[in-house]
Amino acid sequence: PPKLSAAVRKEADEAYQAGQKAFAEGDLGNAIMHWEQVNRLAPNFRSVTDYLVKAYKLTGIDLYGKNRLSEAIGYWQKALDLAPTSGEIASYIARTRGEMARLEEAGEND
């Protein structure tokens, strides 16, 4: 990977730390926002991809629990895009799509 300038490294580190703090406080939305910023500035910075996958997965689970199935799939798809070999996340998506199809057949909407 290319060397980061001192300014970019500082910006990435600050965003990374803010993401860590938000995650520790249970604020997944802000954690994701900060970690996405880090990922844009410096992919693979301090394993930020792994943190994003976890935050996307947990956000999807939360949305699923609120019956916001389409939104849950959207977050799980983001996680799967970053971790394409994750059978767990692929399973969440497949299972939820199946549930949505059954609901649609029964005349219910997401």
Side-chain angles (χ1 to χ4, degrees):
K3 278 269 196 193
L4 301 176
S5 71
V8 170
R9 181 178 299 281
K10 182 177 188 274
E11 186 178 351
D13 190 54
E14 288 172 357
Y16 176 85
Q17 295 300 328
Q20 293 291 87
K21 182 177 185 288
F23 188 82
E25 294 171 352
D27 187 350
L28 292 174
N30 272 325
I32 287 170
M33 179 188 69
H34 290 295
W35 288 334
E36 284 176 341
Q37 179 185 2
V38 173
N39 204 39
R40 282 189 302 275
L41 292 169
N44 299 318
F45 184 83
R46 294 190 182 182
S47 303
V48 73
T49 301
D50 295 337
Y51 290 113
L52 272 172
V53 169
K54 184 174 185 177
Y56 289 147
K57 181 179 91 169
L58 292 173
T59 300
I61 290 168
D62 182 55
L63 290 166
Y64 178 88
K66 295 174 179 172
N67 203 33
R68 293 165 55 186
L69 306 182
S70 295
E71 292 174 77
I73 288 173
Y75 277 93
W76 290 329
Q77 188 59 58
K78 287 181 179 188
L80 194 59
D81 290 347
L82 294 175
T85 60
S86 174
E88 176 187 26
I89 295 169
S91 175
Y92 289 163
I93 293 170
R95 184 174 55 235
T96 303
R97 283 187 176 146
E99 288 177 33
M100 289 173 68
R102 285 188 296 281
L103 288 171
E104 190 172 308
E105 288 174 8
E108 298 181 30
N109 294 326
D110 182 3

